[in-house]
């Protein structure tokens, strides 16, 4: 499936981390990837593999994948390799913190929308700092309550 551009695997409980890693290596053209509610299969290593092998990625949803940590979104992962990423949904990824969020914001200059609903380790100061950076990149900021925010053009 090297020409595949969109893949939605929401809730596919039968897939495991090694399966997702193999898939990522075979999808260099994927731009939209939905792994929502694949809590067992989606790990930092899976997302690092996606980051390294899916250079055209524009939208990624890992909502409900509670094993995801800063390691997946820092400079060695999504924040360092997904330069075309516009939308990232990390809703329910409770292990994401300020450090990962800031690395992600620095490494993904095209980012327009970021959902961190339930990311309780992300502080108000981080939200403000990412918002300032977004405005400097000509991206408007729209905030809900702490832990729920999105950046939109």
């Amino acid at each position: 499936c090297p020409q595949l551009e969109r893949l939605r695997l929401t809730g596919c409980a039968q897939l495991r981390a090694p399966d997702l890693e193999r898939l990522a290596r075979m999808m260099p053209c994927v731009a939209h990837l939905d792994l929502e509610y694949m809590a067992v299969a989606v790990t930092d290593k899976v997302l690092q593999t996606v980051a390294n092998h899916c250079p055209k990625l524009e939208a990624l949803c890992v909502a409900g994948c509670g094993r995801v940590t800063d390691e997946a979104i820092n400079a060695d992962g999504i924040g360092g390799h997904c330069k075309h990423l516009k939308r990232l949904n990390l809703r329910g990824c409770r292990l994401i913190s300020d450090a990962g969020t800031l690395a992600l914001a620095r490494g993904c200059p095209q980012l327009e929308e970021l959902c961190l609903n339930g990311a309780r380790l992300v502080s108000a100061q981080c939200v403000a700092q990412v918002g300032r950076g977004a405005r400097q990149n000509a991206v408007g900021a729209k905030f809900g309550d702490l832990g729920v925010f999105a950046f939109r053009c």
Side-chain angles (χ1 to χ4, degrees), residues 86-145:
K86 295 179 181 181
R87 287 176 213 80
L88 179 59
N89 188 338
L90 294 166
R91 181 177 36 85
C93 297
R94 295 183 180 110
L95 302 175
I96 299 297
S97 74
D98 289 355
T101 302
L102 293 171
L104 177 72
R106 279 191 299 271
C108 297
Q110 302 295 319
L111 197 62
E112 297 171 1
E113 184 175 316
L114 173 62
C115 178
L116 289 167
N117 183 20
R120 302 190 195 298
L121 301 176
V122 178
S123 69
Q125 292 81 9
C126 178
V127 172
Q129 187 173 349
V130 171
R132 280 192 300 276
R135 283 189 290 283
Q136 291 171 357
N137 289 330
V139 176
K142 194 186 243 188
F143 301 110
D145 57 349

